[in-house]
Amino acid sequence: MSLDGNGMLSIYAIKNSEQAKDYFNPAGYFQQQDELANQTAWFGQGSAALGLTGDVDMRQFKELLDGKVAGHQLGKTNKDGKLEHQAGWDLTFSAPKSLSILTLIGGDKRLIDAHQTAVKTALGALEQEFTKTRIRVSREQVIEANTGSLIIAQFLHSLSRENDPQLHTHCVVANATQRSDGQWRSLNSAHFYDHKMLVGQIYRNELALLVKKLGYQLEIDHRTGLFEIQGIPKNLIECFSKRREEIELAAESPDAREMERATLFTRKNKRKESALALMISWVSECKGGCFKQSQVKKV
């Protein structure tokens, strides 16, 4: 679902609610080997309005993706009499690879909290600034600006599809927002895509600030806004970026849309391995990459 982590935000449309429920279910086959996959949470003013708090209930999750909100059915009926409703969107925030290495192998769990806090900061900006729906005024559709209401289910994961350490959070946005008059309507998602780069940068800015407060020094690419934590060898980052390398080889250009196309085209089922086997493999690769905890530079 996401590019191999380097501080990016990716967005994918969810078309099948049943498949989404199966994939994101913490008890599902894909997530059983992921020790962080049981960490789920609701987010957003829309979630609060519906009384959704704490862990994500997968039955409620599917109903919301199906457009069943507060006793109403969202969507439109096509010419064949069938209901059409876009389920939602998966906004995936992926941490820089060096951060994933330090927290999942190096054991600094504070970095998980920093990542999650940065994700919430970015989602808050998305909700307040870029959440819109269409309304009809005098037989014309117009946009209601900034409804400030989203229903978001967060799923924290720690593995790439190549079983490399990759801390990332899937933020599944249901296709529903509550207007100022209290009515629930479908979203205009174009604004998510239009402001994807900005929201991703908000995440990275907040994360960089929090990581520096923990005492780490950063290597920042001011051209792209991406960063890594100093002291993690480049060859080790590349070693744990097998999925990213696969995507880049399949992409015809570095264009964002082409990279996302390549991501979907090359996506494979995750390989089943125990947490112990993964850690043994990771430590072995770290030794091969000459990584030492003492190399990490702190202020």
Side-chain angles (χ1 to χ4, degrees), residues 21-34:
K21 186 193 75 168
D22 290 344
Y23 179 83
F24 291 113
N25 189 344
Y29 174 80
F30 288 130
Q31 310 312 336
Q32 288 177 359
Q33 64 184 354
D34 191 333

Side-chain angles (χ1 to χ4, degrees), residues 134-164:
R134 292 183 176 88
I135 59 175
R136 189 174 296 277
V137 178
S138 300
R139 297 183 180 181
E140 293 185 2
Q141 280 195 344
V142 298
I143 299 299
E144 178 183 2
N146 304 335
T147 61
S149 169
L150 287 176
I151 304 169
I152 303 175
Q154 296 182 88
F155 301 90
L156 180 65
H157 291 170
S158 66
L159 301 175
S160 74
R161 286 186 174 272
E162 294 296 330
N163 282 343
D164 284 330

Side-chain angles (χ1 to χ4, degrees), residues 1 12-27 31 39-43 47 50-70 73-74 85-92 150-157 169-176:
M1 288 262 184
Y12 299 104
I14 294 176
K15 298 179 180 179
N16 188 302
S17 63
E18 186 66 34
Q19 288 180 359
K21 186 193 75 168
D22 290 344
Y23 179 83
F24 291 113
N25 189 344
Q31 310 312 336
Q39 297 187 35
T40 68
W42 294 103
F43 182 91
S47 298
L50 295 172
L52 300 174
T53 60
D55 295 339
V56 175
D57 180 280
M58 299 310 293
R59 178 187 60 80
Q60 292 176 313
F61 175 70
K62 182 181 183 304
E63 288 182 351
L64 290 167
L65 291 184
D66 286 334
K68 298 175 182 178
V69 184
Q73 176 64 62
L74 301 181
H85 177 73
Q86 169 66 50
W89 299 269
D90 174 13
L91 280 63
T92 303
L150 287 176
I151 304 169
I152 303 175
Q154 296 182 88
F155 301 90
L156 180 65
H157 291 170
T169 302
H170 293 278
C171 303
V172 180
V173 181
N175 186 14

